Amino acid sequence: MAEVPAGDRGPILRRYVRKAPGARPHIAVDPAARVSEFEAVAARYPVFRVERRPA
């Protein structure tokens, strides 16, 4: 698992609040907002990428 840098989280957070209605109360950005609004708050929300281990 690897943490996604804050500068790369905006599009991921935007997609997350659009796909997971339960996430909306936790991320104070409207799901229809521009990516730039998610980028502005991205440092407050950790995002991780799950990676496969080499065989």
Side-chain angles (χ1 to χ4, degrees), residues 1 6 9 11 13 16 23 25 27 31 33 35 38 40 42 44-46 52:
M1 187 170 1
R9 295 177 191 167
L13 291 171
Y16 178 56
I27 299 177
V35 171
F38 286 92
R44 296 186 220 163
Y45 303 98
R52 290 181 185 228

Side-chain angles (χ1 to χ4, degrees), residues 18-42:
R18 288 179 170 187
K19 289 289 186 180
R24 292 178 189 154
H26 304 287
I27 299 177
V29 178
D30 187 288
R34 295 176 181 251
V35 171
S36 60
E37 293 184 48
F38 286 92
E39 291 170 342
V41 300

